[in-house]
Amino acid sequence: MILNVVNRGLSVGFIEVTGVAVSSVLLIGDCDHIAMGSIFDTPPESLIVGTEAGLVPLSPE
Amino acid sequence: MVRLSMVDDVKITAVVSSSNFQIGDSRNVNLITRVLAVQKEVSTYQGHEGDLSIFDIYKRDVPFPSYKAENLQVNFHNEVPVIKVGGLRVISVASSSLVQIGSTESIIGIARVKHFRHYAQVPSGFRMRPELTIPID
């Protein structure tokens, strides 16, 4: 397959972003290849109740 | 070949945790971060918390979309070789993130975040399921 891309004029007035977070990209330009991945884990067992100040050890995962 | 990026005005408040704000071209950008987030009702620390090695999330592979390489020929013709932006306002760039004004070949970002909540006692109105929590005192 042959893909022909013609980039004509690109003019943006104003960009307002609150946050770019956890494997994200805000790119003003060209790029060949982007790969972004993330894992976020808040399992129920990550809720700890008690006055013990330690964080570990908990069950791995 | 690549286009010129022109931004008149930039304001960024915070760039944190393996993040990057780049003005200009680059070739490879690799952003890797590991976060252990602990939200505590009472802010007490013993100094030895935060051993990441016991958590599997920091070792396992991050899933990336896979694709089959096929015969693909892409031709770019930049009729107007400029990307113009009047203004850019970003409050925060965090955890393996990138803000770039300019071109690059490859961007790879990996973020692993594990989040804990630590209460001193069961919050009022909160129904605890004992089999799902580990009281440690």
Side-chain angles (χ1 to χ4, degrees):
Chain A
M1 191 170 90
I2 298 172
L3 177 68
N4 290 305
V5 179
V6 181
N7 290 317
R8 299 205 163 87
L10 178 57
S11 182
V12 179
F14 191 82
I15 301 172
E16 191 168 354
V17 178
T18 303
V20 185
V22 195
S23 279
S24 305
V25 175
L26 172 61
L27 180 68
I28 301 171
D30 295 308
C31 186
D32 288 338
H33 177 250
I34 298 178
M36 311 297 282
S38 74
I39 316 178
F40 188 92
D41 189 19
T42 310
E45 65 265 29
S46 69
L47 180 69
I48 307 168
V49 175
T51 50
E52 167 67 43
L55 167 65
V56 290
L58 292 163
S59 64
E61 289 301 289
Chain B
M1 170 62 195
V2 294
R3 288 178 287 179
L4 187 72
S5 303
M6 290 176 64
V7 181
D8 295 334
D9 183 63
V10 180
K11 186 175 181 186
I12 296 182
T13 304
V15 180
V16 293
S17 301
S18 193
S19 296
N20 202 3
F21 169 52
Q22 167 127 0
I23 301 172
D25 293 349
S26 61
R27 180 156 289 183
N28 296 307
V29 182
N30 294 314
L31 306 143
I32 295 165
T33 186
R34 299 186 299 172
V35 176
L36 186 65
V38 184
Q39 201 175 11
K40 281 189 164 187
E41 187 180 358
V42 180
S43 177
T44 51
Y45 296 93
Q46 291 181 336
H48 61 265
E49 302 97 331
D51 180 11
L52 303 189
S53 66
I54 65 165
F55 300 114
D56 183 48
I57 186 175
Y58 301 110
K59 283 172 246 164
R60 68 166 63 169
D61 289 338
V62 178
F64 282 101
S66 61
Y67 59 93
K68 254 195 186 156
E70 53 184 287
N71 277 333
L72 180 65
Q73 189 194 328
V74 187
N75 303 315
F76 291 99
H77 179 62
N78 296 325
E79 217 166 74
V80 181
V82 175
I83 300 170
K84 257 187 84 63
V85 175
L88 175 63
R89 170 81 177 98
V90 180
I91 292 178
S92 77
V93 189
S95 305
S96 285
S97 296
L98 170 72
V99 173
Q100 176 160 7
I101 300 164
S103 297
T104 182
E105 274 179 26
S106 163
I107 303 169
I108 294 169
I110 298 172
R112 293 180 172 91
V113 180
K114 192 170 175 69
H115 186 226
F116 283 94
R117 292 157 293 159
H118 190 164
Y119 294 100
Q121 48 194 271
V122 180
S124 62
F126 195 89
R127 282 220 325 265
M128 290 289 278
R129 289 169 62 190
E131 73 276 14
L132 290 179
T133 60
I134 306 170
I136 53 170
D137 67 336

